[in-house]
Amino acid sequence: MKTFYIREQSTGKQIHNSAEVATSFASLVNADQESLWVVGCNGANKEIYRECIFLGGGSASIVDPRILFKRLLTKDCSSFILVHNHPSGSTEPSEADKSLTKRIISGAEILGLTLLDHLIIGEDGYY
């Protein structure tokens, strides 16, 4: 089976706030390519899964919600956090970012999943 994604060892730690997640993804600020990561959690907000699920170009990435939800469901996650970078360095969400977040929230609700946060990593930290 061919795979084109990057999976990292999950930390297994309980997530208490967005700052903890942002710190663990701080190196994305140096990337020249946009990427979208998902951090899957169990019911106690313990990280059980971490993966880069989409890679984009210098200014955008195409996100297929079906792939995102498939990964979360097969890993038995009950909640998740999205993290992506802006190679421009800006942490300001684009209209596409806002639209994506709304679509993901709607799909997650139907599947009984909870989007805890959607972080954007940039030169000024995170949004």
Side-chain angles (χ1 to χ4, degrees):
M1 179 160 119
K2 294 181 181 180
T3 56
F4 297 95
Y5 50 88
I6 303 164
R7 186 172 296 138
E8 288 189 354
Q9 184 68 34
S10 99
T11 65
K13 294 180 182 177
Q14 187 172 28
I15 296 173
H16 298 97
N17 57 54
S18 300
E20 291 175 353
V21 178
T23 298
S24 72
F25 284 95
S27 64
L28 287 181
V29 74
N30 300 316
D32 62 355
Q33 182 177 12
E34 190 165 331
S35 61
L36 178 75
W37 290 75
V38 61
V39 175
C41 301
N42 65 15
N45 282 353
K46 278 191 171 183
E47 181 183 318
I48 58 174
Y49 162 70
R50 175 184 287 227
E51 183 177 342
C52 176
I53 56 170
F54 299 103
L55 290 173
S59 63
S61 118
I62 297 172
V63 178
D64 185 340
R66 294 173 301 172
I67 293 172
L68 169 66
F69 294 131
K70 177 182 175 184
R71 299 275 200 277
L72 290 166
L73 292 170
T74 59
K75 298 297 180 187
D76 208 21
C77 300
S78 58
S79 60
F80 63 103
I81 298 166
L82 296 177
V83 181
H84 80 277
N85 64 310
H86 283 170
S88 68
S90 171
T91 56
E92 191 66 32
S94 67
E95 287 305 314
D97 293 335
K98 293 174 187 176
S99 175
L100 170 67
T101 302
K102 288 178 185 175
R103 285 181 44 221
I104 297 299
I105 289 170
S106 295
E109 286 175 352
I110 291 168
L111 297 171
L113 298 169
T114 303
L115 175 63
L116 299 173
D117 208 342
H118 182 176
L119 304 177
I120 301 170
I121 306 296
E123 290 175 357
D124 296 332
Y126 72 96
Y127 176 91

